Amino acid sequence: MQSFIELGCVGNRSCSVLCQRMLKVVWAALLLMANVCVQRVQANESQEAKGAPKLGHVSVVIVGATGDLAKKYLWQGFFHLYANQVSSGYTFSFYGGGLSPKDKAAPILFEALKRVSCPRDLSEERCALVKEQFLKLAEYRQLKTVEDYQALGKHLSEHPKGEGIAEAGRLFYLSVPAFAYADVAEKINASCRPAEGVWLRVVLEKPFGHDFSSAQLLSAQLASSLRDEEMYRIDHYLGKQVVSKILPFRRENSKHLDPIWNKHHIERVEIVLKETLDAKGRIPFYDQYGVIRDVIQNHLTEVLTLLTMGLPANLSDAKEVLKNKLKIFSALEHLESHCAVIGQYKSYNEEVEQELNKTKGHYSLTPTFAGIMVYINMAQYEGMPIILTSGKMLDERLGYARILFKNDIFCVQKHDSVHCKPKQIIFYFGHGALQYPAILVSKNLFKPDLMDTEWKEVTEQKDINVLGMPISNYYILTPMVQREAYAELISQIFQGRKDSFISAENLLASWGFWTPLLHSLAKAPPRIYPGGVENGNMLDFKLLGRKVTFANDALVFINQDFTGGSGGQSFQVMQGKYRNNDMVSAWSEELIVRLADDLQAAAEKAVRESGRFHLALSGGSSPLALFQRLAQHQYTFPWRDTHVWMVDERCVPLTELDSNFRTVHDHLLQHVKMPYFNIHPMPVQMNQRLCVEEDGGALLYEREISQLVNGSRFHFVLLGVGHDGHTASLFPGSKLEAHGNSLVALTESPAKPHQRMSLTLRAINRAQKVAILTMGKSKHELITQLSRVKDKPNSWPVTGIHPTSGTLVWYIDYDALLG
Ligand code: BG6
């Protein structure tokens, strides 16, 4: 084995210093080895007597050994494992694996290994010695091809034999992108599986999938190479000292907690992870995942289950813990998009453009902040809000779970008396004002029991505030020695303990819960926030029954030249002119609110005047946020008297995801209460075929409009505009004059599906109000171009929109307007 101690010698240290040091180290190593031999014999005897796993050689392979995670945490964790086990009778070898050739990657690995630090309880001298040993035992191996794995497998078997030691186990840590898991697992199975009686443990880092079906697929793929007991899916939050003490704390203090751990006493639960860093450097991963998949679906959800699950009789019985967790998952109330608020820090999009080589104007909707409210449908917790929130680029780095209890005492005077203060228990994961992990209990609740000798009570404290209360108001428990989460979990993997790892069932239950919300938010525009303290309170959110909304409307500073406002609304929008028509502009979120308000005003007016409201809607992604808004505020909208028509349709069955009607149905119609016969999809499918001229679908729709809509004048037509200037399904070059007096026509799109049905310019221009909604940076160039072109409907169909006796308003968000 070419070890790093050899590599280190070719480095730039002066030889005499090195030689002296080496002598010292060699002497100490001899002592250590003698010690290890004696201890190994003793340990082997006592282990065998107990029937415990046999001692011997353990090979550790980190695949992805020079990646960020490995450099930051994994080598450190394995070094601690080695330092703690060095005298236990086990022997080790460590292999850093990666795709790069050895000459490139080995020096990088060596640098990372040199940086590992010792556990606190090791003296400096012993630390230096153990570290030198560790470096000797580590080497880099290129792991790219089947042959590389075959050579590794052979080496793993032969190496202990050559040293005359029995093999105890092989530990593979996959610190590689998830798409590589199945392939690496297959190669391990085919070439690196140890002989019978020697354990194999394969550690997998998240992400374990992207949603329910991808997680299911990944589980199935992995299951074809590895047995469930061989897989350790890691969630480093479960290795955090405070998180792993949640269940023991609940057990130890059950006489105080049992009577109050329920909806009658708990006001709400908050599980929070705030970060000050951005996602720079990780965008290829982050942009596909976003904050919910990155930390909420896993870390914060795990904390949620630990806080709320029934206490198992045996806390370290992984099966029982899982059973109780699954009960919580099955009782979690289904999440809709109105249960969440999402945000994105201002410079995120630029980072995406840079790291993903996107052209200017690319518009990522990936949220970097989310606040979500969850309820558990169980008698014990019914109606008790649980808030999960996390964000990048916030004002401080801090993680905690807080149980805020109701305070039933009304204080008339002396509000600083202990019993007037908030009653809370805080599981403080670390960072923030306190800077160390701790469990804090308000003094007006109870004095907590110390859980074991590894924890102590903190009695001397600096004068600081923790979550709004002076620290002196809490009893505080903290671990005697602070340990890194990864080091803790690596030690558990080594011991074969599975209670702090994510089982396949647990994983799928979690994705099953989060996937519908993720899908419903896929196209929702996040609120843009400046980052850091400048966020002020723009990310605060409030709970309105089962919904959450941002507590403050985003304030937009507008140019003095722009006139008007939003008619007394608390947010500011600007009004102006665009292509000689009225224009309303604001940040996307406020723009949608404004458009929804205008739509509602038009609906109320129409219903007042004529008893019904005829609304024609477009498909596409721009109106989705509007549909969501309308669905959320459905109770005040006159849906009962509204007729919904389609502006255009793709010639596909209405049930297909491509269909515009399907989009309107999924995002709006299925959520609102309106008579079934007020819904008018376009008849694109007749006689079991799609959009055939002679079937007369267009004519049929035209007749339906003429019969039901007074003068065929819709009250409101909602349009979008495509990058090529098309609107409805009227595309450049479609010879619009050929539509003559028709209100509905079959048209052709350059994009698939090519065949369309569409309202004609004539039908649209008859409407009383037409709104054109345009959002996103990607539309900026189009908006600039359109501001210059004259009316040329055949090249730019949208320029043909001129309601004959109605009004046209452009709704353009700031991204589209200002780029
Ligand atoms: C990781 C996420 O799992 O957790 C990161 O991928 C996040 O985005 C990190 O920063 C937070 O962990 P900690 O331990 O710093 O709270």
Side-chain angles (χ1 to χ4, degrees), residues 391-435:
K392 300 272 181 207
M393 292 294 280
L394 302 184
D395 59 333
E396 59 177 340
R397 183 175 181 199
L398 172 62
Y400 65 88
R402 148 156 100 158
I403 323 306
L404 179 66
F405 291 90
K406 295 175 182 167
N407 196 342
D408 48 10
I409 296 180
F410 177 77
C411 291
V412 179
Q413 282 185 214
K414 274 187 85 41
H415 288 267
D416 56 351
S417 311
V418 164
H419 65 260
C420 303
K421 301 262 165 79
K423 294 179 184 175
Q424 52 197 9
I425 296 176
I426 301 167
F427 295 93
Y428 199 93
F429 310 148
H431 310 296
L434 208 51
Q435 286 297 318

Short mmCIF file of all heavy atoms in Angstrom, two decimals, residues 391-435:
data_model
loop_
_atom_site.label_atom_id
_atom_site.label_comp_id
_atom_site.label_asym_id
_atom_site.label_seq_id
_atom_site.Cartn_x
_atom_site.Cartn_y
_atom_site.Cartn_z
N GLY A 391 -34.16 28.67 5.38
CA GLY A 391 -33.81 29.55 4.28
C GLY A 391 -32.31 29.80 4.23
O GLY A 391 -31.61 29.75 5.25
N LYS A 392 -31.84 30.05 3.02
CA LYS A 392 -30.46 30.50 2.81
C LYS A 392 -30.47 32.02 2.88
O LYS A 392 -31.52 32.64 2.63
CB LYS A 392 -29.97 30.08 1.43
CG LYS A 392 -29.98 28.58 1.18
CD LYS A 392 -28.70 27.93 1.62
CE LYS A 392 -28.69 26.44 1.36
NZ LYS A 392 -27.81 25.71 2.28
N MET A 393 -29.33 32.61 3.13
CA MET A 393 -29.18 34.08 3.13
C MET A 393 -30.16 34.75 4.09
O MET A 393 -30.83 35.72 3.74
CB MET A 393 -29.37 34.64 1.72
CG MET A 393 -28.29 34.25 0.75
SD MET A 393 -26.69 34.93 1.16
CE MET A 393 -26.86 36.58 0.55
N LEU A 394 -30.24 34.22 5.30
CA LEU A 394 -31.05 34.88 6.32
C LEU A 394 -30.10 35.64 7.25
O LEU A 394 -28.90 35.69 7.01
CB LEU A 394 -31.91 33.86 7.06
CG LEU A 394 -32.85 33.04 6.16
CD1 LEU A 394 -33.74 32.13 6.99
CD2 LEU A 394 -33.73 33.95 5.29
N ASP A 395 -30.64 36.21 8.31
CA ASP A 395 -29.82 37.09 9.14
C ASP A 395 -28.85 36.35 10.06
O ASP A 395 -27.87 36.91 10.51
CB ASP A 395 -30.73 38.01 9.96
CG ASP A 395 -31.67 37.21 10.84
OD1 ASP A 395 -31.99 36.07 10.47
OD2 ASP A 395 -32.09 37.71 11.89
N GLU A 396 -29.12 35.08 10.39
CA GLU A 396 -28.21 34.38 11.30
C GLU A 396 -28.23 32.88 11.03
O GLU A 396 -29.18 32.36 10.44
CB GLU A 396 -28.59 34.63 12.77
CG GLU A 396 -29.99 34.18 13.08
CD GLU A 396 -30.36 34.34 14.55
OE1 GLU A 396 -29.46 34.45 15.41
OE2 GLU A 396 -31.56 34.35 14.83
N ARG A 397 -27.18 32.21 11.48
CA ARG A 397 -27.12 30.75 11.35
C ARG A 397 -27.62 30.16 12.66
O ARG A 397 -27.06 30.43 13.72
CB ARG A 397 -25.68 30.32 11.09
CG ARG A 397 -25.58 28.83 10.87
CD ARG A 397 -24.19 28.43 10.50
NE ARG A 397 -24.14 26.99 10.27
CZ ARG A 397 -23.04 26.27 10.29
NH1 ARG A 397 -21.88 26.85 10.51
NH2 ARG A 397 -23.09 24.98 10.08
N LEU A 398 -28.66 29.37 12.56
CA LEU A 398 -29.29 28.90 13.78
C LEU A 398 -30.24 27.75 13.47
O LEU A 398 -30.97 27.79 12.49
CB LEU A 398 -30.09 30.08 14.37
CG LEU A 398 -31.01 29.84 15.55
CD1 LEU A 398 -30.21 29.37 16.75
CD2 LEU A 398 -31.73 31.12 15.92
N GLY A 399 -30.22 26.73 14.31
CA GLY A 399 -31.17 25.63 14.12
C GLY A 399 -31.80 25.29 15.46
O GLY A 399 -31.10 25.17 16.47
N TYR A 400 -33.11 25.12 15.49
CA TYR A 400 -33.75 24.76 16.75
C TYR A 400 -35.15 24.20 16.51
O TYR A 400 -35.74 24.40 15.43
CB TYR A 400 -33.85 25.97 17.69
CG TYR A 400 -34.76 27.09 17.19
CD1 TYR A 400 -36.11 27.08 17.48
CD2 TYR A 400 -34.26 28.12 16.42
CE1 TYR A 400 -36.95 28.09 17.01
CE2 TYR A 400 -35.08 29.13 15.95
CZ TYR A 400 -36.42 29.11 16.26
OH TYR A 400 -37.25 30.09 15.77
N ALA A 401 -35.66 23.53 17.53
CA ALA A 401 -37.09 23.17 17.52
C ALA A 401 -37.64 23.72 18.83
O ALA A 401 -37.05 23.51 19.90
CB ALA A 401 -37.25 21.67 17.48
N ARG A 402 -38.73 24.46 18.72
CA ARG A 402 -39.28 25.06 19.95
C ARG A 402 -40.71 24.61 20.15
O ARG A 402 -41.52 24.64 19.22
CB ARG A 402 -39.21 26.58 19.82
CG ARG A 402 -40.33 27.31 20.53
CD ARG A 402 -39.93 28.71 20.86
NE ARG A 402 -40.48 29.65 19.90
CZ ARG A 402 -40.64 30.93 20.18
NH1 ARG A 402 -40.27 31.41 21.35
NH2 ARG A 402 -41.14 31.73 19.29
N ILE A 403 -41.00 24.19 21.37
CA ILE A 403 -42.38 23.85 21.72
C ILE A 403 -42.86 25.03 22.57
O ILE A 403 -42.36 25.25 23.67
CB ILE A 403 -42.47 22.57 22.60
CG1 ILE A 403 -41.44 21.51 22.21
CG2 ILE A 403 -43.88 22.03 22.66
CD1 ILE A 403 -41.37 21.06 20.84
N LEU A 404 -43.79 25.76 22.00
CA LEU A 404 -44.30 26.92 22.73
C LEU A 404 -45.62 26.52 23.37
O LEU A 404 -46.56 26.10 22.68
CB LEU A 404 -44.51 28.07 21.74
CG LEU A 404 -45.07 29.36 22.33
CD1 LEU A 404 -44.07 29.99 23.29
CD2 LEU A 404 -45.39 30.34 21.20
N PHE A 405 -45.68 26.64 24.71
CA PHE A 405 -46.89 26.21 25.42
C PHE A 405 -47.83 27.39 25.61
O PHE A 405 -47.41 28.55 25.62
CB PHE A 405 -46.51 25.63 26.79
CG PHE A 405 -45.79 24.31 26.66
CD1 PHE A 405 -44.40 24.26 26.55
CD2 PHE A 405 -46.50 23.12 26.61
CE1 PHE A 405 -43.75 23.06 26.41
CE2 PHE A 405 -45.84 21.91 26.46
CZ PHE A 405 -44.47 21.88 26.36
N LYS A 406 -49.11 27.06 25.77
CA LYS A 406 -50.08 28.12 26.03
C LYS A 406 -49.86 28.60 27.45
O LYS A 406 -49.50 27.82 28.33
CB LYS A 406 -51.50 27.56 25.91
CG LYS A 406 -51.82 27.11 24.50
CD LYS A 406 -53.18 26.45 24.41
CE LYS A 406 -53.40 25.97 22.98
NZ LYS A 406 -54.52 25.07 22.81
N ASN A 407 -50.06 29.88 27.64
CA ASN A 407 -49.94 30.38 29.01
C ASN A 407 -51.32 30.82 29.46
O ASN A 407 -51.90 31.74 28.90
CB ASN A 407 -48.95 31.56 29.03
CG ASN A 407 -48.50 31.84 30.46
OD1 ASN A 407 -49.16 31.39 31.40
ND2 ASN A 407 -47.40 32.56 30.61
N ASP A 408 -51.87 30.12 30.46
CA ASP A 408 -53.25 30.42 30.83
C ASP A 408 -53.34 31.45 31.96
O ASP A 408 -54.39 31.66 32.54
CB ASP A 408 -53.99 29.13 31.19
CG ASP A 408 -53.18 28.28 32.15
OD1 ASP A 408 -52.15 28.78 32.66
OD2 ASP A 408 -53.55 27.12 32.38
N ILE A 409 -52.19 32.06 32.26
CA ILE A 409 -52.24 33.07 33.33
C ILE A 409 -52.29 34.45 32.72
O ILE A 409 -51.51 34.78 31.84
CB ILE A 409 -51.01 32.93 34.24
CG1 ILE A 409 -51.07 31.57 34.92
CG2 ILE A 409 -50.94 34.07 35.26
CD1 ILE A 409 -49.95 31.27 35.83
N PHE A 410 -53.25 35.23 33.17
CA PHE A 410 -53.32 36.61 32.70
C PHE A 410 -52.64 37.50 33.74
O PHE A 410 -53.04 37.52 34.92
CB PHE A 410 -54.78 37.03 32.50
CG PHE A 410 -54.88 38.47 32.08
CD1 PHE A 410 -54.60 38.83 30.77
CD2 PHE A 410 -55.21 39.46 32.99
CE1 PHE A 410 -54.66 40.15 30.37
CE2 PHE A 410 -55.27 40.80 32.60
CZ PHE A 410 -55.00 41.14 31.28
N CYS A 411 -51.61 38.20 33.33
CA CYS A 411 -50.87 39.01 34.28
C CYS A 411 -51.41 40.43 34.31
O CYS A 411 -51.45 41.10 33.27
CB CYS A 411 -49.39 39.02 33.92
SG CYS A 411 -48.66 37.41 34.19
N VAL A 412 -51.83 40.84 35.44
CA VAL A 412 -52.40 42.18 35.58
C VAL A 412 -51.27 43.19 35.82
O VAL A 412 -51.25 44.28 35.26
CB VAL A 412 -53.42 42.21 36.73
CG1 VAL A 412 -54.00 43.61 36.90
CG2 VAL A 412 -54.53 41.22 36.47
N GLN A 413 -50.34 42.81 36.62
CA GLN A 413 -49.20 43.69 36.92
C GLN A 413 -47.93 42.87 36.90
O GLN A 413 -47.96 41.67 36.77
CB GLN A 413 -49.39 44.30 38.31
CG GLN A 413 -50.39 45.42 38.31
CD GLN A 413 -50.49 46.11 39.66
OE1 GLN A 413 -51.56 46.54 40.02
NE2 GLN A 413 -49.42 46.21 40.40
N LYS A 414 -46.84 43.53 37.07
CA LYS A 414 -45.53 42.86 37.18
C LYS A 414 -45.33 41.80 36.07
O LYS A 414 -45.24 40.60 36.31
CB LYS A 414 -45.38 42.21 38.56
CG LYS A 414 -44.84 43.17 39.60
CD LYS A 414 -44.54 42.50 40.90
CE LYS A 414 -43.26 41.86 41.05
NZ LYS A 414 -42.08 41.75 40.92
N HIS A 415 -45.33 42.30 34.86
CA HIS A 415 -45.27 41.38 33.72
C HIS A 415 -43.96 40.61 33.61
O HIS A 415 -43.86 39.65 32.85
CB HIS A 415 -45.54 42.14 32.43
CG HIS A 415 -46.98 42.53 32.32
ND1 HIS A 415 -47.89 41.76 31.69
CD2 HIS A 415 -47.65 43.59 32.84
CE1 HIS A 415 -49.08 42.32 31.79
NE2 HIS A 415 -48.96 43.44 32.50
N ASP A 416 -42.95 41.05 34.39
CA ASP A 416 -41.70 40.28 34.31
C ASP A 416 -41.66 39.13 35.32
O ASP A 416 -40.66 38.46 35.47
CB ASP A 416 -40.49 41.21 34.45
CG ASP A 416 -40.54 42.03 35.73
OD1 ASP A 416 -41.61 41.97 36.39
OD2 ASP A 416 -39.55 42.69 36.06
N SER A 417 -42.78 38.91 36.03
CA SER A 417 -42.80 37.75 36.94
C SER A 417 -42.64 36.48 36.10
O SER A 417 -43.12 36.43 34.96
CB SER A 417 -44.15 37.64 37.65
OG SER A 417 -44.49 38.86 38.20
N VAL A 418 -42.01 35.48 36.70
CA VAL A 418 -41.70 34.26 35.96
C VAL A 418 -42.96 33.66 35.31
O VAL A 418 -42.97 33.27 34.15
CB VAL A 418 -41.05 33.23 36.91
CG1 VAL A 418 -41.07 31.84 36.30
CG2 VAL A 418 -39.62 33.64 37.19
N HIS A 419 -44.09 33.64 36.05
CA HIS A 419 -45.26 32.96 35.50
C HIS A 419 -45.93 33.73 34.35
O HIS A 419 -46.83 33.22 33.70
CB HIS A 419 -46.28 32.65 36.61
CG HIS A 419 -46.87 33.87 37.24
ND1 HIS A 419 -46.44 34.36 38.44
CD2 HIS A 419 -47.83 34.72 36.81
CE1 HIS A 419 -47.12 35.45 38.73
NE2 HIS A 419 -47.97 35.69 37.76
N CYS A 420 -45.49 34.97 34.11
CA CYS A 420 -46.06 35.73 32.97
C CYS A 420 -45.29 35.47 31.68
O CYS A 420 -45.71 35.85 30.59
CB CYS A 420 -46.01 37.23 33.24
SG CYS A 420 -46.83 37.72 34.73
N LYS A 421 -44.12 34.88 31.82
CA LYS A 421 -43.23 34.71 30.66
C LYS A 421 -43.73 33.58 29.76
O LYS A 421 -44.43 32.67 30.22
CB LYS A 421 -41.82 34.34 31.16
CG LYS A 421 -41.22 35.36 32.08
CD LYS A 421 -40.31 36.26 31.30
CE LYS A 421 -39.95 37.52 32.05
NZ LYS A 421 -38.94 37.36 33.05
N PRO A 422 -43.29 33.61 28.50
CA PRO A 422 -43.64 32.47 27.64
C PRO A 422 -43.09 31.17 28.23
O PRO A 422 -42.01 31.17 28.83
CB PRO A 422 -42.92 32.77 26.32
CG PRO A 422 -42.52 34.19 26.39
CD PRO A 422 -42.47 34.59 27.83
N LYS A 423 -43.85 30.10 28.06
CA LYS A 423 -43.37 28.80 28.54
C LYS A 423 -42.93 28.02 27.33
O LYS A 423 -43.73 27.79 26.40
CB LYS A 423 -44.54 28.01 29.15
CG LYS A 423 -45.13 28.60 30.39
CD LYS A 423 -46.26 27.66 30.77
CE LYS A 423 -47.01 28.17 31.97
NZ LYS A 423 -48.16 27.33 32.27
N GLN A 424 -41.69 27.64 27.31
CA GLN A 424 -41.23 26.92 26.12
C GLN A 424 -40.09 25.95 26.41
O GLN A 424 -39.35 26.12 27.38
CB GLN A 424 -40.82 27.89 25.02
CG GLN A 424 -39.84 28.96 25.44
CD GLN A 424 -39.79 30.12 24.44
OE1 GLN A 424 -40.61 30.19 23.54
NE2 GLN A 424 -38.84 31.01 24.60
N ILE A 425 -39.99 24.96 25.52
CA ILE A 425 -38.85 24.04 25.56
C ILE A 425 -38.15 24.21 24.21
O ILE A 425 -38.81 24.18 23.17
CB ILE A 425 -39.29 22.59 25.73
CG1 ILE A 425 -39.99 22.44 27.08
CG2 ILE A 425 -38.09 21.64 25.64
CD1 ILE A 425 -40.55 21.05 27.33
N ILE A 426 -36.85 24.44 24.27
CA ILE A 426 -36.13 24.64 23.01
C ILE A 426 -35.05 23.58 22.86
O ILE A 426 -34.20 23.43 23.74
CB ILE A 426 -35.48 26.04 22.97
CG1 ILE A 426 -36.57 27.11 23.12
CG2 ILE A 426 -34.72 26.25 21.67
CD1 ILE A 426 -36.03 28.48 23.41
N PHE A 427 -35.13 22.86 21.75
CA PHE A 427 -34.04 21.95 21.41
C PHE A 427 -33.14 22.74 20.48
O PHE A 427 -33.50 23.00 19.32
CB PHE A 427 -34.60 20.69 20.72
CG PHE A 427 -35.47 19.87 21.63
CD1 PHE A 427 -36.85 20.06 21.65
CD2 PHE A 427 -34.92 18.94 22.48
CE1 PHE A 427 -37.66 19.33 22.49
CE2 PHE A 427 -35.72 18.19 23.34
CZ PHE A 427 -37.09 18.39 23.35
N TYR A 428 -32.04 23.18 21.01
CA TYR A 428 -31.17 24.13 20.31
C TYR A 428 -30.04 23.36 19.66
O TYR A 428 -29.14 22.85 20.34
CB TYR A 428 -30.64 25.10 21.38
CG TYR A 428 -30.11 26.39 20.85
CD1 TYR A 428 -30.92 27.52 20.75
CD2 TYR A 428 -28.78 26.50 20.48
CE1 TYR A 428 -30.41 28.72 20.29
CE2 TYR A 428 -28.27 27.71 20.02
CZ TYR A 428 -29.09 28.81 19.93
OH TYR A 428 -28.60 30.00 19.48
N PHE A 429 -30.11 23.22 18.32
CA PHE A 429 -29.14 22.33 17.64
C PHE A 429 -27.73 22.90 17.63
O PHE A 429 -26.76 22.16 17.53
CB PHE A 429 -29.57 22.05 16.20
CG PHE A 429 -31.01 21.61 16.06
CD1 PHE A 429 -31.74 21.94 14.93
CD2 PHE A 429 -31.62 20.88 17.07
CE1 PHE A 429 -33.06 21.54 14.79
CE2 PHE A 429 -32.95 20.48 16.94
CZ PHE A 429 -33.67 20.82 15.81
N GLY A 430 -27.61 24.23 17.67
CA GLY A 430 -26.27 24.82 17.68
C GLY A 430 -26.26 26.17 17.01
O GLY A 430 -27.28 26.65 16.52
N HIS A 431 -25.08 26.79 16.99
CA HIS A 431 -24.85 28.12 16.39
C HIS A 431 -25.70 29.18 17.11
O HIS A 431 -26.07 29.01 18.25
CB HIS A 431 -25.12 28.10 14.88
CG HIS A 431 -24.41 26.97 14.19
ND1 HIS A 431 -23.05 26.88 14.14
CD2 HIS A 431 -24.89 25.88 13.56
CE1 HIS A 431 -22.71 25.78 13.49
NE2 HIS A 431 -23.81 25.16 13.14
N GLY A 432 -26.02 30.27 16.39
CA GLY A 432 -26.82 31.34 16.98
C GLY A 432 -26.16 31.96 18.19
O GLY A 432 -24.94 31.82 18.40
N ALA A 433 -26.95 32.64 19.02
CA ALA A 433 -26.41 33.37 20.16
C ALA A 433 -25.72 32.44 21.15
O ALA A 433 -24.70 32.76 21.75
CB ALA A 433 -27.54 34.13 20.84
N LEU A 434 -26.29 31.24 21.32
CA LEU A 434 -25.79 30.35 22.37
C LEU A 434 -24.47 29.67 21.97
O LEU A 434 -23.63 29.40 22.82
CB LEU A 434 -26.87 29.29 22.62
CG LEU A 434 -26.94 28.67 23.99
CD1 LEU A 434 -26.96 29.72 25.06
CD2 LEU A 434 -28.17 27.78 24.09
N GLN A 435 -24.33 29.37 20.68
CA GLN A 435 -23.09 28.79 20.16
C GLN A 435 -22.80 27.36 20.59
O GLN A 435 -21.78 26.82 20.26
CB GLN A 435 -21.87 29.66 20.50
CG GLN A 435 -21.77 30.93 19.69
CD GLN A 435 -21.59 30.66 18.20
OE1 GLN A 435 -20.85 29.77 17.79
NE2 GLN A 435 -22.32 31.38 17.37
#
